[in-house]
Amino acid sequence: GERPATAGDSSLLNSSASTCPSKPATQPSKPGVRQTNQLQYIHRVLTKIVWKHKYCWPFHIPVNPDKLNIPDYFKIVKNPMDLGTVRQRLEKKQYTCAKEALADIDLVFNNCRLYNRPDSDVHNMGNTVEEVFKSKLKGMPAVEEEILPASVIRQRKAQQAAEEKRRRQEVQQQRVREQQVATQAAAAAVAPAAVPGVATALLAGQPAAAMMSAGVAGIGAGATSAAQ
């Protein structure tokens, strides 16, 4: 007879998993590879608890319509999924975020309800395993945080150290420039007003001999002008 087309709820996707980013915050060593604390938690629950449940075995591998003698399976289930595939994707770090993994797990149990009648053993087994997973999902970290590979962490630390060194050098150079300006200003403030050209030479950073020559030349020029 015709099977019910009820897909069940999507409460797994309504968990505390955060929204997937449009692109990973950090570019991993290989495209599409990313690890987060929530993905780690899902993998641990799936492999340590759910996978070993006595009713989970029908969902370990993809459905084989020929072996199970259900030729209409792919006519009803358009997007097949199994927990073995989810486990493999988790282990290969192929999910961007937890919601992607939960969507696949949701699909496993929704497909189970979609194809199998409510009074069938497989239908009830799927519901039981799903409830076990839901109960364990309550302990998942509330905020999803990326877990960076050690190589990326080392690279970031090296970049931060280089940036800090550059900032320190800039601060030191600025202090030197400010000290030079202060020294020149102080020298100009105490220069003898009677010796023309000395203050100007000090501000220009000229040597003392040049300043005195400029001063003497200024005095001589003044005397000559007075004599005339």
Side-chain angles (χ1 to χ4, degrees):
E2 184 177 355
R3 293 169 176 78
T6 302
D9 60 35
S10 57
S11 55
L12 291 180
L13 292 177
N14 294 330
S15 68
S16 58
S18 59
T19 302
C20 294
S22 56
K23 59 185 298 186
T26 301
Q27 292 298 331
S29 56
K30 295 181 180 179
V33 177
R34 189 170 184 257
Q35 181 65 292
T36 73
N37 56 339
Q38 289 186 346
L39 285 170
Q40 273 190 345
Y41 182 88
I42 293 171
H43 178 257
R44 185 164 59 250
V45 169
L46 179 61
T47 57
K48 301 293 185 181
I49 301 174
V50 175
W51 190 267
K52 298 177 181 180
H53 193 280
K54 63 180 180 179
Y55 290 157
C56 190
W57 62 266
F59 312 105
H60 282 180
I61 60 175
V63 172
N64 186 330
D66 295 333
K67 186 176 180 179
L68 297 174
N69 193 27
I70 46 175
D72 61 342
Y73 184 79
F74 290 130
K75 293 180 180 178
I76 297 172
V77 177
K78 303 300 182 182
N79 298 297
M81 182 55 60
D82 63 281
L83 294 181
T85 297
V86 175
R87 180 175 180 173
Q88 185 179 56
R89 290 178 178 179
L90 285 167
E91 291 171 352
K92 292 184 176 181
K93 300 179 178 63
Q94 293 179 330
Y95 291 115
T96 300
C97 65
K99 276 196 177 296
E100 291 180 353
L102 294 178
D104 278 352
I105 296 173
D106 235 8
L107 188 59
V108 173
F109 300 118
N110 287 342
N111 286 344
C112 175
R113 285 185 287 266
L114 178 64
Y115 186 80
N116 299 283
R117 297 185 180 89
D119 59 347
S120 68
D121 290 340
V122 176
H123 184 109
N124 293 324
M125 291 166 73
N127 285 342
T128 300
V129 175
E130 184 183 37
E131 288 303 317
V132 170
F133 187 84
K134 287 180 184 178
S135 66
K136 298 301 179 182
L137 202 61
K138 295 176 182 178
M140 185 170 67
V143 178
E144 186 165 22
E145 298 177 351
E146 185 173 10
I147 300 174
L148 299 176
S151 59
V152 174
I153 294 175
R154 288 193 299 269
Q155 182 181 13
R156 282 192 171 185
K157 287 183 177 179
Q159 291 173 345
Q160 291 172 353
E163 179 63 20
E164 182 61 26
K165 181 179 179 180
R166 184 188 65 79
R167 285 196 296 265
R168 288 197 303 266
Q169 290 175 341
E170 288 181 350
V171 170
Q172 183 62 28
Q173 291 171 358
Q174 180 63 25
R175 288 176 179 173
V176 171
R177 288 193 294 268
E178 291 174 353
Q179 186 62 38
Q180 290 174 342
V181 171
T183 300
Q184 293 173 358
V190 300
V195 184
V198 173
T200 304
L202 281 170
L203 289 173
Q206 296 180 13
M211 291 191 294
M212 293 307 298
S213 297
V216 172
I219 293 172
T224 302
S225 175
Q228 292 176 353

